[in-house]
Amino acid sequence: MSTIVDKLIAVKASVGTVGKDSENQEGRKFKYRSVDGVVNAIAQALIDQGVLIHSTSAELIASEQVNYGVKGTLAFRTTIAVEYEWTDGESSILTQVVAESIDSGDKGTSKAMSVAYRTAILQTLTLPTGDKD
C-alpha cells in the first residue's frame, strides 16, 4: 500500500519542472512562478495519485500600513501563517508556511493566501524551475 509520501514522490516525478510563467510589471521586472501556473502544473498528477491539499489553519501574524511602489501608494502589508494537509484519505503530512502580500485595496489576505498555497506546494514537492541559475 502506498503512503502519502510515496504518492507525493510520484506527483513530483510526474510534474517535473515548473517554469517561471509570469513577469512582475511593477518596479523591478522579474519572472516568477504564479500560483495558477503551479496549481495547473500539479493538478492532474494530484488527481492521478488521489491526493488532496487543504488548509487546516490560518493565522494573521501582522497587518500594517506601508508606503508602496514608486508613487508611495498607501497599502497594507499582510503576513499570515498557514498549515496545509496533504492527504490520500489514509495517511497525511502537514506543510506550514508563512507568507505576505502588499495591497492597496481589500485583497491583501487573499493575495497572502495565494502566496502561501504556492509556497507550500513548491516547498513540499521541491519542484525545480528548469532555469540554469
Side-chain angles (χ1 to χ4, degrees):
M1 174 182 258
S2 296
T3 67
I4 188 67
V5 172
D6 297 325
K7 291 179 179 184
L8 291 178
I9 291 169
V11 168
K12 178 183 170 83
S14 176
V15 172
T17 63
V18 178
K20 296 177 181 178
D21 63 343
S22 297
E23 185 175 324
N24 178 33
Q25 298 300 315
E26 294 181 29
R28 188 174 56 93
K29 302 220 184 300
F30 59 89
K31 290 189 158 281
Y32 66 97
R33 296 187 278 190
S34 69
V35 66
D36 291 333
V38 172
V39 170
N40 289 337
I42 69 166
Q44 190 59 53
L46 291 175
I47 291 167
D48 293 346
Q49 293 298 319
V51 174
L52 174 71
I53 311 167
H54 65 98
S55 60
T56 59
S57 67
E59 176 186 352
L60 176 65
I61 295 174
S63 180
E64 60 184 328
Q65 284 189 327
V66 296
N67 291 322
Y68 179 68
V70 178
K71 297 178 183 177
T73 303
L74 186 60
F76 287 92
R77 178 191 316 261
T78 303
T79 307
I80 59 171
V82 186
E83 180 178 83
Y84 294 92
E85 179 182 38
W86 302 68
T87 185
D88 61 4
E90 301 288 325
S91 60
S92 65
I93 65 165
L94 299 175
T95 301
Q96 298 173 335
V97 295
V98 174
E100 67 180 10
S101 69
I102 297 177
D103 188 73
S104 60
D106 63 347
K107 306 287 187 281
T109 302
S110 296
K111 285 182 176 181
M113 288 295 289
S114 292
V115 171
Y117 190 50
R118 181 190 69 202
T119 301
I121 292 167
L122 293 173
Q123 288 184 350
T124 301
L125 297 176
T126 59
L127 297 172
T129 63
D131 292 348
K132 293 179 182 177
D133 59 275

